[in-house]
Amino acid sequence: MKTQRNISRRKFLRSTTALTASALGAPFILPASVFGAAAPSNRIHVGFVGLGNQSTIDLPSFLQNDDVQVVAVCDVNTGSYGYINPKHFLGRKPGQDQVNAYYAQKTPSGNFKGCDAYNDFRELLARSDIDVVALVVPDHWHAIMTIMAAKAGKDVYCEKPLSLTVAQGQAMVKAVRQHKRILQTGSHFRSSPNNRFACELVRNGRIGQVKRVLTFIAEQNAVDPGPGWKPMPVPKGFDYEMWLGPAPKAPYHAGRCLYRFRFNLDYSGGQTTNFGAHSNDIAQWGLGMDHTGPVEFEDMGSEWPPKGSLYTTATKVHFRARYANGIELICETREPKMGARFEGTEGWVQFGFGGLKTSPESLMTSPIGPNEIHLPHSIPSRTEDVYKNYLPDHVRNFLDSVKSRRDPIEPVEIGHRTATLCHLGNIAMRLKRKIRWDPQQETILDDDEASAMLSRPMRAPWHL
Ligand SMILES: NC(=O)c1ccc[n+]([C@@H]2O[C@H](COP(=O)([O-])OP(=O)(O)OC[C@H]3O[C@@H](n4cnc5c(N)ncnc54)[C@H](O)[C@@H]3O)[C@@H](O)[C@H]2O)c1
């Protein structure tokens, strides 16, 4: 939200209402809402990009805030089935309808048609009335869209994993800071009070000296089509060229795009980055490693689809990383799919889909004293988990940051470091050998082949 622009919007409102009133020769009474806290002039104007699977949670999390107005949506899919939930009909048109219907039920007339819809995100970015963009698109678009949005003066809510490659993450950090933008990474498990408490127990020595952290990753939930798969015709209303964007040219297959993009290395890093962007994120938080990372990564028996399959990401994730202080991080496909267990000399703490668990059990109620380490809260008044997911609080934390101009709970650097850990795990698993990492310089040591995997060429005309 730009003060300058708000002033001009307010000035505009005042001058047009004054003009209208005098032209009509009548006293003009403004509704209280016009200049209230949630007045149009004070609202954060949001452009929402990517109306697929995750938008079903992210979009309502923006809409429910009275100081938000979603003014535009964008998706390259006009509208279709084919997402993770077979009953979901999603895309640009259903997204626009959802926004208009939400605001319609809040207006006395019950009519609202004010949300615009775009196929090309560059048109949405060109609008000077948009303060914030939510990027809920496949990972191969995160860097380009974030950097273009930052240059256009927009703040960004970017879904996790922050980047497709380490180099893209570095470029995102640079652009966000250079253009003085706010960016929240969508690793919303940071906004869970339980997860924060788990990390506070670890950081305050309740489990003694930390030796190891096990991080949990869900199994890959799509393995077919295998070798010999046949291309399909591109569906009507789906701009496949704009979906591919910077990724290599490839024949269309329904399993390539909606939701399942995450199982192809051209667009994502598989469950390593998908679930890893949550589990490894909280692991780094608990270890106090947010601004650094492990120094060594090694494959522990990962499994991959047969050559020629549509999907190219690990079907079984298993790698070991080691921090400079000797702590080990073991990241593995296992139950309960998302979360981690910190193991120390005097006990352990586990968080994630199975809930919070500790040994000894008494740690569950161990108070964190006033002089101990307290980690940031997304919503300071929230003391316990009230949602199945914590996305509404994570979005609220972002909106508050947009207003205060202070960093949110998961700023660009932290999102980048978490994604880096996952990317390096993938590189070690793909190469099936140990790689050494310098977290200060952000370089792989003495391995040209592995170093080349830190970045990817982009297909013209797209570039960072
Ligand atoms: N925070 C979480 O827990 C969580 C959960 C699921 C997904 N995600 C993240 O959300 C992002 C989207 O995942 P999803 O499951 O919703 O995928 P999806 O394929 O279901 O939806 C993505 C949408 O983006 C659209 N899109 C693709 N390229 C576009 C472009 N150039 N311009 C505009 N729209 C474009 C697609 O047509 C699709 O409708 C991913 O980065 C994913 O990792 C986060």
Side-chain angles (χ1 to χ4, degrees):
M1 199 173 54
K2 288 186 191 53
T3 319
Q4 190 54 47
R5 199 151 69 226
N6 287 335
I7 290 167
S8 35
R9 277 210 295 258
R10 270 190 217 110
K11 263 194 194 155
F12 173 78
L13 262 177
R14 289 208 186 101
S15 59
T16 47
T17 48
L19 184 71
T20 318
S22 66
L24 290 172
F28 195 91
I29 300 163
L30 289 170
S33 63
V34 172
F35 295 120
S41 53
N42 287 331
R43 284 197 201 146
I44 299 171
H45 284 190
V46 175
F48 199 100
V49 188
L51 280 308
N53 162 53
Q54 185 60 12
S55 79
T56 60
I57 303 172
D58 287 13
L59 183 55
S61 299
F62 274 90
L63 284 172
Q64 71 177 41
N65 294 282
D66 283 345
D67 56 350
V68 158
Q69 183 79 28
V70 177
V71 295
V73 296
C74 167
D75 199 299
V76 296
N77 183 18
T78 312
S80 74
Y81 293 99
Y83 290 87
I84 184 176
N85 181 336
K87 290 191 189 137
H88 279 164
F89 184 82
L90 301 170
R92 181 170 73 243
K93 184 73 175 67
Q96 182 186 31
D97 291 347
Q98 185 185 348
V99 174
N100 281 334
Y102 179 84
Y103 291 123
Q105 46 95 20
K106 292 189 151 250
T107 55
S109 67
N111 287 317
F112 185 86
K113 300 239 176 291
C115 177
D116 294 317
Y118 300 94
N119 181 65
D120 188 328
F121 70 96
R122 291 169 293 191
E123 290 175 45
L124 182 148
L125 290 183
R127 277 179 58 163
S128 62
D129 64 326
I130 291 182
D131 306 298
V132 156
V133 289
L135 304 178
V136 192
V137 286
D139 313 354
H140 65 290
W141 275 110
H142 290 184
I144 288 176
M145 287 187 186
T146 293
I147 293 168
M148 289 178 73
K151 282 188 183 156
K154 320 292 183 205
D155 295 322
V156 178
Y157 185 96
C158 182
E159 262 306 344
K160 50 52 52 177
L162 188 74
S163 60
L164 181 67
T165 66
V166 173
Q168 290 183 16
Q170 289 165 336
M172 293 165 88
V173 171
K174 197 166 156 215
V176 167
R177 292 305 168 196
Q178 187 184 338
H179 297 284
K180 298 191 171 29
R181 295 294 97 209
I182 297 293
L183 182 142
Q184 173 86 300
T185 312
S187 292
H188 61 270
F189 285 87
R190 279 253 167 167
S191 290
S192 145
N194 276 351
N195 296 350
R196 186 188 65 245
F197 178 60
C199 292
E200 286 175 342
L201 289 174
V202 175
R203 295 275 276 267
N204 288 301
R206 298 293 196 284
I207 58 168
Q209 197 188 348
V210 183
K211 292 287 181 197
R212 198 166 80 143
V213 53
L214 308 177
T215 61
F216 315 141
I217 301 284
E219 72 287 356
Q220 176 150 318
N221 48 329
V223 282
D224 291 331
W229 60 270
K230 301 265 180 315
M232 295 173 165
V234 178
K236 212 166 155 263
F238 186 69
D239 186 345
Y240 180 49
E241 181 57 29
M242 194 62 175
W243 187 93
L244 279 174
K249 191 119 189 114
Y252 177 82
H253 187 286
R256 185 185 291 284
C257 299
L258 305 178
Y259 176 75
R260 287 162 197 82
F261 72 86
R262 49 177 55 60
F263 306 129
N264 189 311
L265 288 169
D266 284 343
Y267 324 116
S268 183
Q271 300 295 41
T272 315
T273 55
N274 189 31
F275 278 80
H278 292 306
S279 306
N280 292 323
D281 184 61
I282 307 295
Q284 289 253 110
W285 203 20
L287 297 177
M289 297 290 181
D290 269 346
H291 294 279
T292 178
V295 294
E296 215 173 73
F297 294 79
E298 121 181 74
D299 178 61
M300 296 275 287
S302 59
E303 291 171 15
W304 299 79
K307 234 181 168 50
S309 301
L310 181 62
Y311 299 127
T312 51
T313 55
T315 45
K316 180 180 187 305
V317 175
H318 200 180
F319 69 88
R320 173 165 57 201
R322 189 180 57 77
Y323 290 87
N325 61 7
I327 294 177
E328 265 190 347
L329 179 146
I330 312 270
C331 179
E332 191 183 1
T333 305
R334 58 179 278 175
E335 291 299 323
K337 299 186 196 321
M338 198 297 296
R341 187 164 77 207
F342 299 95
E343 297 175 343
T345 49
E346 289 164 37
W348 54 261
V349 170
Q350 179 169 322
F351 70 87
F353 281 176
L356 188 64
K357 293 178 186 157
T358 64
S359 173
E361 219 183 316
S362 56
L363 292 183
M364 295 287 283
T365 51
S366 174
I368 308 295
N371 297 323
E372 292 193 290
I373 297 170
H374 289 258
L375 297 173
H377 296 47
S378 260
I379 306 290
S381 60
R382 185 90 64 226
T383 53
E384 57 189 64
D385 285 3
V386 290
Y387 299 107
K388 278 207 192 107
N389 66 72
Y390 324 99
L391 243 156
D393 285 0
H394 204 60
V395 167
R396 187 63 248 173
N397 174 257
F398 167 63
L399 298 169
D400 291 341
S401 297
V402 167
K403 290 179 164 180
S404 70
R405 309 312 297 167
R406 283 198 289 271
D407 270 340
I409 197 158
E410 179 95 12
V412 65
E413 290 84 0
I414 297 181
H416 165 55
R417 289 292 185 166
T418 295
T420 296
L421 193 166
C422 303
H423 295 321
L424 293 170
N426 260 341
I427 293 173
M429 289 192 293
R430 286 172 73 189
L431 293 175
K432 298 264 177 206
R433 65 168 175 262
K434 194 182 273 186
I435 57 166
R436 291 189 302 123
W437 174 247
D438 177 343
Q440 271 79 43
Q441 300 302 317
E442 296 192 55
T443 49
I444 289 177
L445 303 171
D446 307 324
D447 190 330
D448 292 344
E449 190 185 6
S451 299
M453 294 163 87
L454 295 173
S455 61
R456 303 252 180 102
M458 288 188 170
R459 195 165 59 105
W462 300 102
H463 57 88
L464 288 185

